[in-house]
Amino acid sequence: MKLTTKSSSLSVLGLAVVAILLVVAGTGGAVAGAMITGKQIKDGSVTTKDIRNKTLRTADLSPAAVKALSGRTGPAGPAGPAGPAGTTGPIGATGARGEDGMADLVIRVTRVPQSSSASYGFATCHDDERAVDVGYQISGQNGGVASLEGLFPVQDTYSDPVADQPVSLGSGYGYYLYNRSQPTAGTVGGTFYVKCTKG
């Protein structure tokens, strides 16, 4: 009878252990099979140690957090190398022909001899030319003070007092050279350079 009692106790104890193990196993399976949500996680308990490195993406962050990650614009980098030259473009349309320019440009020289009084006359081009510009150089000698009182393009037909011939319209320039010395002394004279063209 004594042996029977001990055997029964061991049987009851074994059944109890098995029952406990089944309960624990059943509980563990239930916990493992259930989804953990934010309600089961204590606020502030998840730290960087709980997150696997290089797994978060910008989609996991708020727009404000993404904006905060953007740094300030840095300085401009160095200019890159020049690119290859482009291909030559097509030839453009030919423009309209302009007016003929001056041809056969020559300088006609008129010398005014030294004179103690005033000198006047014309510096002219040839009959088949037209005057386009004029330059001059005047001087006084022996106390004379040369002053060019007038220089004008020919606007009409004049009688040249030197060559005693008419001066054609636009073919030269008239001049008036005066001795400004006071009292009158010395002489004045000069040279006129008329630019002429046949164009």
Side-chain angles (χ1 to χ4, degrees), residues 1 11 29 40 109 120:
M1 287 298 291
S11 298
Q40 283 81 40
V109 180
Y120 66 93

Side-chain angles (χ1 to χ4, degrees), residues 61-136:
L61 305 176
S62 67
V66 174
K67 184 177 181 180
L69 293 175
S70 301
R72 291 179 297 178
T73 302
T87 57
T88 303
I91 298 175
T94 302
R97 180 179 177 179
E99 297 181 358
D100 292 337
M102 293 182 295
D104 300 327
L105 191 65
V106 295
I107 304 296
R108 303 296 181 194
V109 180
T110 299
R111 290 183 173 84
V112 180
Q114 292 287 321
S115 174
S116 60
S117 59
S119 298
Y120 66 93
F122 299 93
T124 63
C125 298
H126 289 177
D127 291 342
D128 58 345
E129 299 170 342
R130 64 184 178 90
V132 294
D133 199 3
V134 64
Y136 61 88

Side-chain angles (χ1 to χ4, degrees), residues 139-168:
S139 63
Q141 295 181 0
N142 302 320
V145 179
S147 174
L148 185 62
E149 300 295 319
L151 182 64
F152 52 92
V154 175
Q155 299 295 329
D156 205 341
T157 299
Y158 290 83
S159 176
D160 189 332
V162 178
D164 194 21
Q165 61 182 9
V167 178
S168 302

Side-chain angles (χ1 to χ4, degrees), residues 10-100:
L10 290 174
S11 298
V12 171
L13 179 61
L15 290 173
V17 171
V18 170
I20 291 171
L21 291 175
L22 288 175
V23 170
V24 171
T27 302
V31 172
M35 179 180 293
I36 298 175
T37 66
K39 293 181 179 180
Q40 283 81 40
I41 300 175
K42 182 180 179 181
D43 292 343
S45 63
V46 177
T47 65
T48 182
K49 294 187 298 183
D50 304 310
I51 301 173
R52 181 180 296 175
N53 291 337
K54 301 180 180 180
T55 59
L56 290 179
R57 299 170 297 177
T58 54
D60 301 318
L61 305 176
S62 67
V66 174
K67 184 177 181 180
L69 293 175
S70 301
R72 291 179 297 178
T73 302
T87 57
T88 303
I91 298 175
T94 302
R97 180 179 177 179
E99 297 181 358
D100 292 337

